[in-house]
Amino acid sequence: MSDIIDNAAADAASTPPAYVNPDLRWYVVHAYSGMEKAVERNIRESIARAGMETKFGRILVPTEEVVEMKNGQRRTAERKFFPGYVFVEMVMDDDTWHLVKHTNKVTGFVGGAKNRPAPISEAEVQKIVSQMQDGADKPRHKVEFMVGELVRVKEGPFTDFNGSVE
């Protein structure tokens, strides 16, 4: 019995990683504003239904963590870098173009010709991914102040006083 388990473990270890298509390129898809996560989910479901997993890679909705004050409490929220846009890694052909273009809540592709969108570079995508990682590691404040800027205090013992940011 233990020989069967050992053989199964050896077979799993020698199994090559999932197939990665070398022709994958990144494309920008325009979606209804506020529906980016729904578009991501809809595209994934359409890919699974059509059995086109080998023609698609990652689907990215670039977001970052921001800290905001609401009702006197500090909250962490998610903010989209590019509202209304979803990044899709895919092989561009008629079938994949049609699948994405006719996904619910998608208005079309960005760039290129009407039925042949232009891909964006891997370097641009890596820059966006690193921005996302920086935002996850250290959330920024939603409201940024500049040194010397005049502010009015709304709450606390100094309510209705004006001050200067230092």
Side-chain angles (χ1 to χ4, degrees):
M1 183 69 170
S2 67
D3 291 337
I4 295 172
I5 295 171
D6 291 340
N7 288 341
D11 288 344
S14 65
T15 304
Y19 174 73
V20 176
N21 194 326
D23 297 328
L24 292 174
R25 300 286 180 267
W26 284 98
Y27 294 89
V28 181
V29 176
H30 190 260
Y32 293 169
S33 187
M35 296 291 172
E36 299 86 358
K37 292 286 188 184
V39 166
E40 177 186 10
R41 186 177 56 252
N42 291 342
I43 291 173
R44 287 186 195 281
E45 290 171 359
S46 297
I47 292 168
R49 245 181 283 128
M52 292 190 189
E53 290 87 354
T54 58
K55 292 185 175 187
F56 286 86
R58 297 165 286 175
I59 300 174
L60 185 65
V61 178
T63 57
E64 70 175 340
E65 296 290 317
V66 291
V67 177
E68 61 183 11
M69 295 298 285
K70 212 172 209 178
N71 298 331
Q73 293 182 344
R74 183 182 172 122
R75 292 192 179 151
T76 304
E78 196 174 68
R79 183 184 74 85
K80 293 175 183 71
F81 281 130
F82 305 105
Y85 296 97
V86 178
F87 295 80
V88 180
E89 189 179 31
M90 61 188 273
V91 174
M92 183 57 68
D93 63 20
D94 289 341
D95 294 334
T96 57
W97 178 85
H98 191 273
L99 183 136
V100 173
K101 177 80 170 91
H102 292 94
T103 298
N104 200 14
K105 298 179 177 64
V106 169
T107 59
F109 285 90
V110 176
K114 185 173 183 174
N115 61 351
R116 282 290 168 203
I120 60 173
S121 72
E122 185 69 32
E124 289 173 305
V125 174
Q126 289 306 319
K127 184 178 174 186
I128 293 167
V129 169
S130 69
Q131 283 180 322
M132 287 174 59
Q133 187 61 42
D134 292 344
D137 293 343
K138 191 183 93 179
R140 304 182 327 161
H141 287 282
K142 190 170 184 176
V143 179
E144 302 270 335
F145 295 102
M146 303 293 293
V147 174
E149 188 175 354
L150 292 175
V151 294
R152 182 174 195 86
V153 179
K154 290 174 61 176
E155 296 177 1
F158 299 105
T159 301
D160 292 331
F161 278 85
N162 291 329
S164 175
V165 176
E166 292 181 358

